[in-house]
Amino acid sequence: MLFPEFAHPTLIGIAKEAAASELLEAKARVRYFELPTRRFLSPVRSKRVPFCWSINPYRGCEFGCRYCYARYTHEFMELRESSQFEEMIFAKQFDEAAFRRELRSTARHESIAIGTGTDPYQPAERRFGVTRQILEVLAGEKGRRISLVTKSDLVARDALLFQTISRSNILHVNITITTLDEWLARLLETWAPRPALRVAAVRALAEAGIHVGVLPNPIVPLITDSEENLDSVAAAAAQAGAESFGGGVLFLKPCSRRVFLPFLAEHFPHLLRRYRERYEKSGFLCGSYTDTIRERVHRVRQRHGLMSGGANYEPELWEGEPQLELFDVREWDGDTLCPISSKNIR
Ligand code: SF4
């Protein structure tokens, strides 16, 4: 079915498939589509992250955080208006047999991260359950290293499934909480679950024995970067049973600048000039400010007895490589490239 947004005869590849996707549901603000998907596992070649493969069950994210860096992914479907990223959500059509074949073609020591681009527990998950179907397959795996990140309390729904996965794989679940301030969270992450609900999800997972961490990501300069704010999030995380806490400073890709700078102009106009200066040359900040934040996060973590990454534990039914070869994220210096075998790079 073609929609006005897609009325272009020269579309190819994923843009053409998106254009042909059937409209399944149109809520007041959001429309859901289903998208044929050839691969669920995407190779990751960045030195900045400690995983080798990523899985994102949905394209677009209804939470619509003002700082979101994933908006550019809609541009591959020729959907270039920033609002389309949060209002046109594509659920990837799940093919269990194909996903199992993909898994067989990856080495077990190559870590898999779920939700690196868009949120795997956004509201679409209640209807499509793509994340759950993926987890059900992973529950039958052994010796894998799996992590998942979300901003949604819906993650607690799958606590039993996480227990099963954790018995024979190393699993870490991370929940993003940038602030406990409900007003500020509503401004920055308008449609995401309230911080208190996310803390409750941390508690529910920790009580189920899942290794869970909290990420105050992104740390937003001059808005969420104070020691007081980071400390309050870390304190709530520790009290809820999280074992780790760690985060990085906001980076602004061109797609996120287009949304974030007008947002600043409206809500924090006094910060606009400083942001323009700081992010003028690059979307990534570096130098003394990032050093200060790194030290601040370290201090806060120490104060609340939290680790920087998930615990390096050996599952009860572990059948992977010897424990000595496990990748310890606590030691990760940001420069280690994950071992991606060339046959897996497509
Ligand atoms: S939850 Fe994550 S993916 Fe979704 S809008 Fe927010 S930052 Fe983007």
Side-chain angles (χ1 to χ4, degrees), residues 61 63-65 67-68 85 117-119 151:
C61 184
F63 291 155
C65 306
Y67 47 69
C68 181
F85 175 79
T118 57
D119 202 298
K151 205 170 270 170

Side-chain angles (χ1 to χ4, degrees), residues 21 27 68 89 93 95 153 157 161 165 173-175 203-204 234 256 273 277 279 285 298:
S21 298
K27 296 202 282 187
C68 181
I89 307 300
Q93 265 171 14
D95 179 335
D153 58 321
R157 177 199 69 182
L161 203 40
I165 294 172
V173 175
N174 288 295
I175 298 185
R203 181 169 289 107
S256 33
R273 180 183 58 78
E277 286 167 3
Y279 285 97
L285 291 185
H298 178 72

Side-chain angles (χ1 to χ4, degrees), residues 258-301:
R258 283 197 293 275
V259 173
F260 196 72
L261 294 187
F263 162 81
L264 277 184
E266 184 180 352
H267 297 285
F268 301 91
H270 58 291
L271 299 181
L272 195 55
R273 180 183 58 78
R274 292 168 79 180
Y275 264 79
R276 286 210 168 106
E277 286 167 3
R278 286 188 184 186
Y279 285 97
E280 187 188 4
K281 295 202 174 73
S282 166
F284 288 96
L285 291 185
C286 54
S288 60
Y289 175 74
T290 49
D291 292 342
T292 301
I293 296 301
R294 194 176 303 117
E295 285 159 19
R296 195 172 289 170
V297 170
H298 178 72
R299 248 190 335 268
V300 163
R301 196 158 47 218

